[in-house]
């Protein structure tokens, strides 16, 4: 029954894995970062399906990154799987605490509260000199089940690792989006009153989406920290969160792969405009987003996936 | 006499200076079909909203099957088996007719919808389709809500509210926004389906022909109060009702 999905997943992995062979170092790094950030945006897309946009996913991106860095630095853990698991776990717990609180808010209130939470973390980290203050902290290279690669091998391993995470997380999220709970999320976006009057809890629906977003944010942050070898409070800054939202809107909520395509586009536009038009890359990005919103109001994803009713 | 499944005692509700419910006392026996009549703003929807938990009464008690449900929220009350349809159909506009029905069927089926099971699977769609067929709107299954006629929207709204465990069904103006020649067929369909399952029905209606034809008993609302509570012929010939509700036309 899920044959198509599994085939797409395998196809996506093969495509991504080809990058490990074909891409030059700089491009592979760019893609790894883009995919890691795409995971964070995928969490926002999950919330968008319920009609909410979080402007504070930097909170979990940063929390995941610092968790991994501290665990690596203080406890000497370097295994990438363990680091990912621990950061995801911390974000799960924090998300489960804040989720039910924030799930009572809608629209701009939800967006601003999530933003406020991330800025509290930013402010706190910037002041905490034990955690490096605004300079942040460094994290060593990860190991993979005891294997300790260096140079291109390390980069390739990290890239393939994030590719696997993207495929697994993307597949799971697709299954979730198509599930009963996923359809109820879409219904909630449309008509909360109806959903409550059918006997489902809108708050529960929103809480789950928030928690999933938190976990994905933490995983993305962990990968980014390991790829960069460094974390700083900027991970929680509002402009970072804004980029995640940018990617989510660019992608739309219809297609999962579109999220990662959008994330890669963002990273490419950023590097190229940085190179050729320094200081104006936001302008290029803004124009690009405007065009997409006007031409494809449902995002890039609507190029490959349509709402049912549109077809008939 | 059959036991009252719904019992409303001394319920009051005001919105600022507006009294929307005053000394409301209603006792509905199981399996009965009641109708609520009254001019615009008489308090009919307020009554439906209070029974279904959307609005909390200022005072008074609402009992359902011997259980005090005053102050519970819509979700809890729905879970107990009191379902409702809306004066303005409440549908998910971005979903198709079938998907709307799948949403309803899924939530009715289980309090814990699956994160894994595909909602668009054959089984879920067949179940939804069966209900759509029962309400004769299956032909519209792949259409989006904004493309539908008023009658189809109303039927879908009602179909979504009805589930296996419906015990009391409140229909708020099931025929408003419906073309004149569709009103009776819709009521035939809905009331028959509900009577067949022994569901207690309370419907709000402005058309007195429909009121007489389908209800066992009529409650006439005026200015937040119930001014008559009796069999349809009695209520419609009541001078107060003729003066304040039906405008002497009935
Ligand atoms: N949420 C609310 N806030 C303020 N006033 C309200 C609210 N709900 C109802 N009212 C007022 O209470 C009174 C009764 O309204 P209600 O909607 O119950 O009337 P109704 O009998 O259903 O009328 P209609 O036939 O127009 O649907 C009206 O004066 C209305 O303006
Ligand atoms: Mg009304």
């Amino acid at each position: 029954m899920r044959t198509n999905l599994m085939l797409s997943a395998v196809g996506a992995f093969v495509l991504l894995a080809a990058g490990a062979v074909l891409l030059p170092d700089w491009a592979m790094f760019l893609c790894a970062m883009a995919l890691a950030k795409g995971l964070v945006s995928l969490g926002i897309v999950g919330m968008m399906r319920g009609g909410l946009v979080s402007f504070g996913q930097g909170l979990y991106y940063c929390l995941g990154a610092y968790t991994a860095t501290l665990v690596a630095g203080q406890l000497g853990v370097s295994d990438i799987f363990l680091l990912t698991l621990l950061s995801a776990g911390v974000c799960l717990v924090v998300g489960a605490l804040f989720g039910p609180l924030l799930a009572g808010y809608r629209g701009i209130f939800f967006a601003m509260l999530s933003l406020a939470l991330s800025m509290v973390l930013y402010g706190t980290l910037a002041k905490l000199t034990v955690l490096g203050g605004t300079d942040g902290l460094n994290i060593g290279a990860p190991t993979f089940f005891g294997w300790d690669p260096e140079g291109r091998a390390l980069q390739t391993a990290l890239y393939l690792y994030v590719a696997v995470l993207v495929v697994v997380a993307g597949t799971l999220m697709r299954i979730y989006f198509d599930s009963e709970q996923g359809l109820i999320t879409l219904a909630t976006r449309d008509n909360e009153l109806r959903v409550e009057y059918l006997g489902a809890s809108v708050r529960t629906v929103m809480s789950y989406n928030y928690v999933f977003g938190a976990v994905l944010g933490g995983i993305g942050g962990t990968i980014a920290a390991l790829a960069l070898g460094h974390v700083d409070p900027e991970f929680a800054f509002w402009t970072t969160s804004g980029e995640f939202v940018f990617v989510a809107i660019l992608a739309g909520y219809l297609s999962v792969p579109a999220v990662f395509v959008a994330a890669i586009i963002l990273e490419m536009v950023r590097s190229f405009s940085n190179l050729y038009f320094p200081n104006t890359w936001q302008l290029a990005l803004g124009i690009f987003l405007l065009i997409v919103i006007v031409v494809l109001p449902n995002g890039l994803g609507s190029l490959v996936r349509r709402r049912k009713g549109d077809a008939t | 006499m059959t036991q009252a499944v719904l019992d409303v005692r001394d319920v009051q509700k005001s919105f600022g200076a507006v009294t929307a419910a005053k000394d409301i006392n209603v006792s509905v026996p199981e399996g009965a079909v009641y109708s609520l009549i009254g001019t615009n703003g008489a308090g009919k929807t307020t009554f439906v909203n209070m029974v279904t938990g959307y609005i909390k009464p200022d005072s008074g008690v609402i009992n359902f099957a011997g259980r005090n449900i005053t102050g519970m929220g819509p979700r809890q009350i729905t879970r107990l088996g009191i379902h409702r349809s809306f004066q303005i159909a409440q549908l998910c506009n971005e979903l198709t007719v079938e998907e709307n029905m799948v949403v309803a069927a899924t939530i009715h089926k289980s309090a814990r919808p699956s994160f894994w099971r595909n909602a668009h699977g054959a089984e879920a769609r067949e179940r939804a389709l069966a209900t759509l067929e029962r309400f004769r709107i299956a032909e519209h299954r792949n259409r989006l809500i904004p493309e539908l006629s008023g009658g189809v929207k109303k039927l879908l709204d009602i179909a979504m509210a009805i589930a296996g465990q419906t015990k009391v069904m409140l229909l708020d103006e099931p025929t408003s926004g419906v073309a004149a020649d569709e009103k009776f067929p819709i009521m035939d369909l809905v009331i028959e389906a509900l009577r067949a399952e022994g569901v207690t029905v309370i419907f709000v209606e402005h058309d007195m022909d429909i009121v007489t034809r389908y209800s066992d008993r009529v409650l006439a609302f005026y200015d937040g109060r119930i001014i008559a509570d009796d069999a349809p012929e009695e209520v419609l010939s009541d001078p107060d009702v003729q003066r304040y509700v039906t405008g002497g036309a009935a």
Side-chain angles (χ1 to χ4, degrees), chain B residues 71-130:
Chain B
M72 285 186 185
R75 183 159 38 91
Q76 267 177 299
I77 290 178
T78 301
R79 287 258 165 242
L80 291 176
I82 301 183
H83 299 169
R84 77 172 289 184
S85 73
F86 297 84
Q87 191 165 342
I88 296 165
Q90 294 296 319
L91 306 167
C92 300
N93 288 330
E94 288 180 35
L95 302 183
T96 63
V97 169
E98 183 180 275
E99 283 171 327
N100 268 277
M101 203 58 230
V102 169
V103 169
T106 302
I107 302 176
H108 286 314
K109 186 184 55 136
S110 145
R112 298 190 156 276
S114 170
F115 287 85
W116 184 261
R117 197 179 315 122
N118 195 313
H120 312 264
E123 188 204 337
R125 295 182 57 185
E126 267 164 37
R127 202 158 4 97
L129 197 60

Side-chain angles (χ1 to χ4, degrees), chain A residues 22-301:
Chain A
L22 303 174
L23 295 176
D25 282 4
W26 67 268
M28 199 155 68
F29 172 77
L30 182 145
C31 282
M33 281 303 285
L35 293 177
K37 291 179 176 180
L39 284 170
V40 190
S41 296
L42 182 59
I44 298 180
V45 167
M47 288 181 253
M48 264 167 64
R49 293 174 66 89
L52 293 181
V53 176
S54 162
F55 263 94
Q57 283 316 89
L59 172 68
Y60 297 102
Y61 185 65
C62 185
L63 198 61
Y66 269 82
T67 303
T69 307
L70 289 172
V71 168
Q74 303 300 311
L75 307 179
V77 174
S78 62
D79 186 72
I80 194 164
F81 304 96
L82 205 52
L83 289 176
T84 313
L85 215 58
L86 284 170
S87 325
V90 167
C91 289
L92 176 84
V93 171
V94 176
L97 284 176
F98 287 133
L101 293 176
L102 289 183
Y105 295 90
R106 291 292 168 272
I108 194 71
F109 300 102
F110 177 82
M112 288 300 121
L113 274 172
S114 54
L115 174 68
L117 285 177
S118 69
M119 289 309 285
V120 167
L121 180 65
Y122 171 80
T124 311
L125 289 174
K127 288 275 173 296
L128 275 181
T129 38
V130 270
L131 297 183
T134 47
D135 290 338
L137 298 166
N138 289 330
I139 176 170
T143 56
F144 299 76
F145 287 135
W147 179 47
D148 185 10
E150 280 172 28
R152 170 92 188 177
L154 171 62
Q155 254 217 326
T156 310
L158 196 63
Y159 170 82
L160 285 175
Y161 179 64
V162 65
V164 170
L165 285 179
V166 160
V167 171
V168 171
T171 307
L172 287 176
M173 286 305 267
R174 183 77 257 164
I175 289 173
Y176 166 55
F177 291 166
D178 289 337
S179 74
E180 295 176 352
Q181 189 79 24
L183 183 62
I184 294 170
T185 298
L186 274 186
T188 303
R189 165 201 181 87
D190 237 346
N191 195 332
E192 292 190 13
L193 183 69
R194 170 49 95 179
V195 171
E196 285 275 327
Y197 262 113
L198 288 170
S201 162
V202 167
R203 206 182 179 120
T204 307
V205 168
M206 299 303 183
S207 301
Y208 276 120
N209 289 328
Y210 185 85
V211 172
F212 294 153
V215 171
L216 288 169
I219 296 176
T222 306
I223 306 298
L226 290 169
L228 291 165
H230 181 79
V231 287
D232 60 49
E234 290 284 322
F235 273 55
F237 199 59
W238 67 271
T239 49
T240 312
S241 297
E243 280 179 31
F244 299 138
V245 173
F246 179 99
V247 167
I249 291 175
L250 188 58
Y253 69 92
L254 297 175
S255 153
V256 168
V259 178
F260 298 98
V261 171
I264 290 173
I265 291 177
L266 173 76
E267 287 301 317
M268 287 198 325
V269 173
R270 191 216 314 269
S271 349
F272 286 111
S273 8
N274 255 341
L275 207 56
Y276 299 111
F277 324 98
N279 302 324
T280 55
W281 77 274
Q282 285 95 341
L283 181 70
L285 222 55
I287 291 170
F288 186 63
L289 184 62
L290 263 177
I291 293 171
V292 171
I293 287 176
V294 170
V295 180
L296 297 167
N298 275 327
L300 292 177

Side-chain angles (χ1 to χ4, degrees), chain B residues 100-169:
Chain B
N100 268 277
M101 203 58 230
V102 169
V103 169
T106 302
I107 302 176
H108 286 314
K109 186 184 55 136
S110 145
R112 298 190 156 276
S114 170
F115 287 85
W116 184 261
R117 197 179 315 122
N118 195 313
H120 312 264
E123 188 204 337
R125 295 182 57 185
E126 267 164 37
R127 202 158 4 97
L129 197 60
T131 313
L132 293 177
E133 265 162 9
R134 191 160 145 225
F135 287 90
R136 309 215 182 109
I137 47 176
E139 61 186 283
H140 306 288
R141 64 179 175 276
N142 290 323
R143 297 173 70 189
L144 291 172
I145 305 306
E147 308 165 11
L148 304 174
S149 72
V152 177
K153 279 189 199 172
K154 277 290 204 215
L155 273 174
L156 178 58
D157 186 65
I158 296 167
M160 286 173 77
I162 298 177
Q165 70 271 30
T166 306
K167 298 198 176 70
V168 174
M169 181 74 188

